[in-house]
Amino acid sequence: MAAARVLFAARGYRATSMQAVADEVGITKAALYYHFDAKDEILRRLTVPLLDELEATLAAAEARADPDEVRWRAIEGYVDVHLRHRHTLTMLVKDMTLLVQAPVADRFRAAIALANDLVAGPDDSIENRVRACQVVAGLADPVVLFRDVPTDTLRRLILDGARALLGEPARPRPRARARGRNGGRPAALTAEQVEQARSLYLAGGAAEEIADRFGVSRATIYRHLKN
């Protein structure tokens, strides 16, 4: 699954053969077909987690009572889901025809429409609805276009842009993380951070991005992943 995600994102889904996936993993094509009936099955299993998380995140935001909380839970959740699934999103954008196929297209359209409504809130004016649409449209594209930017930095910049569109002041930048005894990055993670790091890695996050997110070295991330 990880090999297919990377190959689909780099080459495009249609340009990647099952043989290429098998070669990347180091197995025969017959062995790959033992686990997956077709390439479409790999695509579905890569895409469904993104859609499931996006729908659940927006549903949780919608359940809030305060319109401002609904709006920002929807915006932040939308960004976080796409950041966790950067490779999958890149794969879909690489081959835009994948985004018009049912049921993927239907679910994405429904999620975007709901996000637009949640960001717009109770103000049903055309000006407010257009602005909400602009905000939602600008949340996912930077995730694909700026893949080399560390996750935390990109997240902050995307949310600052959303606040600018909504006429809200940008939040102050957080203070620098505490340094280790030798002036470098901290050498350890909390138990909660370890679980978060493992979840991000399993979702396709790069070790370097995860290290930047928690302010530790890649060696620290690899040590925890190994354990």
Side-chain angles (χ1 to χ4, degrees):
M1 293 285 288
R5 182 187 292 112
V6 172
L7 288 175
F8 291 167
R11 302 180 183 179
Y13 170 75
R14 301 191 190 286
T16 302
S17 65
M18 289 288 273
Q19 184 65 62
V21 176
D23 291 343
E24 183 72 15
V25 179
I27 59 176
T28 65
K29 185 165 71 170
L32 182 59
Y33 273 112
Y34 176 81
H35 295 282
F36 301 97
D37 291 336
K39 192 169 65 167
D40 283 351
E41 183 185 351
I42 301 178
L43 175 66
R44 181 188 64 80
R45 289 177 61 178
L46 286 172
T47 308
V48 165
L50 165 60
L51 290 165
D52 286 347
E53 282 191 42
L54 187 58
E55 291 166 350
T57 295
L58 294 175
E62 188 178 21
R64 295 290 171 171
D66 179 66
D68 283 339
E69 187 176 4
V70 170
R71 175 181 298 113
W72 282 105
R73 278 184 174 266
I75 290 173
E76 292 179 355
Y78 198 97
V79 173
D80 289 338
V81 169
H82 284 82
L83 284 171
R84 281 195 295 272
H85 295 274
R86 288 173 104 167
H87 284 294
T88 300
L89 187 63
T90 302
M91 170 194 75
L92 293 170
V93 172
K94 186 87 172 179
D95 192 342
M96 296 296 288
T97 60
L98 300 177
L99 289 171
V100 299
Q101 296 180 4
V104 170
D106 297 334
R107 292 181 68 182
F108 263 117
R109 277 196 294 266
I112 292 170
L114 177 56
N116 287 341
D117 289 342
L118 298 182
V119 174
D123 183 350
D124 199 38
S125 68
I126 183 61
E127 293 84 2
N128 189 59
R129 286 161 49 205
V130 168
R131 185 59 51 87
C133 182
Q134 288 177 301
V135 170
V136 173
L139 298 179
D141 283 1
V143 175
V144 175
L145 294 174
F146 302 100
R147 294 189 298 275
D148 296 331
V149 176
T151 300
D152 274 359
T153 300
L154 187 57
R155 182 183 190 274
R156 174 176 57 80
L157 293 173
I158 294 172
L159 294 180
D160 282 351
R163 291 188 182 92
L165 281 170
L166 292 170
E168 299 184 14
R171 290 185 178 179
R173 296 187 64 173
R175 292 184 177 182
R177 299 179 186 273
R179 297 289 181 175
R181 286 180 296 177
N182 297 324
R185 293 179 168 187
L189 296 173
T190 66
E192 181 180 1
Q193 288 173 327
V194 170
E195 291 304 314
Q196 291 174 354
R198 287 173 177 163
S199 296
L200 290 168
Y201 187 76
L202 289 173
E208 184 173 0
E209 294 174 352
I210 299 171
D212 286 336
R213 182 184 184 97
F214 295 106
V216 298
S217 67
R218 277 181 295 177
T220 298
I221 292 296
Y222 282 125
R223 184 173 70 251
H224 286 297
L225 291 175
K226 181 179 179 180
N227 292 337

